[in-house]
Amino acid sequence: MRRKISFLNLYKQYLSIKEDVDTAIHNTIIESAFIGGGNVKQFEKEFALYQDSTYCVGVGNGTDALEIAIESLELPPNSEIIVPANSFIASAEAVTRAGHRVVFCDNNETDYTISIDSLINKISSKTAAIIAVHLYGMPCQMTEILDVAKEHGLKVVEDCAQAHGAEYLGKKVGSIGDIGTFSFYPGKNLGAYGDGGAIITNNEELAKKCRMIANHGRVEKYNHEFEGRNSRLDGLQASILSVKLKKLDEWIVKRISIAKRYKESLEGIDAIKIPKDSPGNKSVWHLFVIRVNNRGPFINFLNENGIETGIHYPISLPKLAAFRYCNQANECFVANEFDNQLVSLPIGEHLDSEDVEYILEKIHEYFK
Ligand SMILES: *Cc1c(COP(=O)(O)O)cnc(C)c1O
């Protein structure tokens, strides 16, 4: 029987936590705790604890989080910062906005995180930092990245926008490097009901600097030490995020079990390349991305059978018009050659096992 399977279903998720979310919103309005206040402090505390980090600074969104985190490192202006070629544009945009230069490196063919060989290749005397994107919820090879960083005196920013709760060798991502950033965009694994973001770090100075940059360069009301900006996690979003954080581990377990089922069932299909995670790490499977040659007809077939899919990302960053000026469109083979093969299958707590079996049945039918 035909089913309708959406890529994401935030309304269904809301129904499962409705009472707590409604109460949280109601209380925030009663307290008029819209900007700053108890909810934001509370969530920052809870999220730092959840991510095994000492400090957490709530900000306006994940892009701001990256930009502010980079700025807090106080790197020489126009430093080169290495960014993986396959990511969301924010990972690179923030580098330029913070006054530095983007240098793209390639992604691994197996797990799509940063390629260490390519990273090493891209280091120059001007390189100052690495943006380690835990893409699709999969932790990067942090030991190797930290080794390279140490050898060359580079800072490491972890872009964890897709990786809340992910673990590298038993350690939560985000404060393995110098500083980590998160997005609470509604569709992320931990999503607000609007924009939101956070920065985490174990470094007190960096945390303080980030808080000041995000708050007009001040620590007290009218005592501005430098020109900062305004980037806030607001009280309503913080109160909703506190409710959802309690459910996150349960939702991650669901994602891991769906990914496991996808992997065991799709392994036998030669025309599909499945993502490989390493056993010592915990991927949180924000996305389950496979590679398929000539993906158009495959996506159409799934769509005709009621199954929504996504593409993350259809054009690798160096090939975007926005980065034409970088002249790096031919340097990252994996990201640039395989971007026309990527297909994201539905994954998330909104799917039941019958949905997953239906998706697999249709995929097998297509490749028969
Ligand atoms: C979503 C995302 C961001 C940006 O987050 P926003 O909250 O949308 O600004 C940054 N990096 C990656 C890898 C993302 O997926």
Side-chain angles (χ1 to χ4, degrees):
M1 215 186 55
R2 192 178 185 278
R3 284 175 171 251
K4 175 90 195 81
I5 295 171
S6 55
F7 195 70
L8 187 70
N9 190 336
L10 292 176
Y11 183 61
K12 185 172 173 188
Q13 186 196 66
Y14 166 67
L15 292 180
S16 75
I17 49 175
K18 183 176 184 307
E19 213 174 302
D20 290 345
V21 168
D22 291 356
T23 305
I25 292 173
H26 194 198
N27 287 344
T28 307
I29 296 170
I30 290 173
E31 293 157 18
S32 299
F34 300 117
I35 297 293
N39 293 339
V40 177
K41 279 208 187 74
Q42 177 68 21
F43 175 71
E44 285 177 342
K45 213 167 103 189
E46 290 166 0
F47 194 63
L49 199 67
Y50 179 79
Q51 288 295 148
D52 297 336
S53 176
T54 318
Y55 304 99
C56 172
V57 180
V59 294
N61 56 67
T63 310
D64 281 2
L66 274 165
E67 217 178 296
I68 293 165
I70 295 168
E71 204 183 321
S72 76
L73 297 171
E74 299 182 350
L75 307 170
N78 281 313
S79 292
E80 291 179 5
I81 299 186
I82 300 177
V83 180
N86 183 36
S87 185
F88 181 59
I89 187 171
S91 311
E93 218 174 28
V95 167
T96 317
R97 290 273 157 194
H100 303 292
R101 303 217 325 264
V102 176
V103 172
F104 290 111
C105 79
D106 213 346
N107 297 73
N108 289 324
E109 203 178 325
T110 46
D111 68 1
Y112 269 87
T113 63
I114 214 165
S115 153
I116 304 301
D117 287 343
S118 175
L119 167 68
I120 292 169
N121 252 315
K122 295 297 181 127
I123 292 172
S124 81
S125 59
K126 289 199 170 136
T127 310
I130 303 163
I131 311 288
V133 184
H134 302 299
L135 196 71
Y136 308 152
M138 189 90 75
C140 300
Q141 295 165 262
M142 290 307 293
T143 304
E144 288 80 355
I145 291 173
L146 293 182
D147 283 350
V148 171
K150 195 167 171 198
E151 191 185 332
H152 297 271
L154 313 176
K155 299 290 183 190
V156 177
V157 178
E158 297 179 63
D159 180 346
C160 313
Q162 305 186 358
H164 320 72
E167 290 174 19
Y168 176 78
L169 301 179
K171 260 192 183 160
K172 288 264 173 72
V173 298
S175 46
I176 301 172
D178 294 281
I179 194 160
T181 65
F182 291 82
S183 164
F184 304 121
Y185 179 80
K188 302 283 156 109
N189 284 13
L190 178 62
Y193 289 177
D195 275 315
I199 300 166
I200 65 170
T201 178
N202 291 329
N203 181 320
E204 188 180 357
E205 284 307 305
L206 290 183
K208 189 170 164 233
K209 190 82 207 257
C210 287
R211 200 176 283 289
M212 287 180 76
I213 295 169
N215 188 25
H216 302 291
R218 68 185 164 191
V219 273
E220 314 149 41
K221 195 150 191 184
Y222 291 114
N223 189 6
H224 306 267
E225 290 184 21
F226 58 86
E227 291 169 291
R229 57 187 289 182
N230 172 15
S231 184
R232 296 166 176 144
L233 178 66
D234 70 68
L236 279 170
Q237 302 310 337
S239 72
I240 292 162
L241 287 168
S242 283
V243 170
K244 290 177 88 173
L245 184 57
K246 292 188 185 74
K247 300 285 282 188
L248 184 58
D249 280 335
E250 189 186 315
W251 293 336
I252 290 173
V253 167
K254 189 91 191 274
R255 283 176 184 273
I256 291 172
S257 82
I258 294 170
K260 184 163 173 269
R261 182 71 192 112
Y262 276 156
K263 282 186 286 179
E264 63 192 21
S265 173
L266 298 177
E267 212 161 33
I269 303 178
D270 287 341
I272 293 181
K273 297 269 187 306
I274 57 170
K276 283 194 185 55
D277 51 329
S278 38
N281 298 342
K282 179 174 169 184
S283 170
V284 291
W285 300 101
H286 173 58
L287 296 166
F288 191 92
V289 179
I290 58 173
R291 274 193 7 239
V292 178
N293 275 319
N294 191 20
R295 73 181 158 202
F298 173 66
I299 289 171
N300 287 342
F301 176 81
L302 293 183
N303 209 17
E304 281 158 17
N305 284 285
I307 302 164
E308 276 180 13
T309 55
I311 300 178
H312 301 86
Y313 294 88
I315 307 172
S316 71
L317 297 178
K319 292 200 293 193
L320 290 174
F323 295 107
R324 204 171 284 147
Y325 74 95
C326 294
N327 265 321
Q328 298 177 40
N330 299 315
E331 290 177 24
C332 300
F333 182 80
V334 170
N336 292 344
E337 297 301 313
F338 297 153
D339 57 357
N340 60 1
Q341 301 177 5
L342 304 171
V343 180
S344 308
L345 300 178
I347 191 164
E349 77 293 330
H350 66 296
L351 303 178
D352 59 30
S353 58
E354 284 168 16
D355 294 329
V356 176
E357 293 312 315
Y358 173 78
I359 295 165
L360 288 170
E361 183 193 310
K362 290 297 157 192
I363 296 175
H364 280 276
E365 193 180 312
Y366 181 81
F367 285 107
K368 216 178 338 183

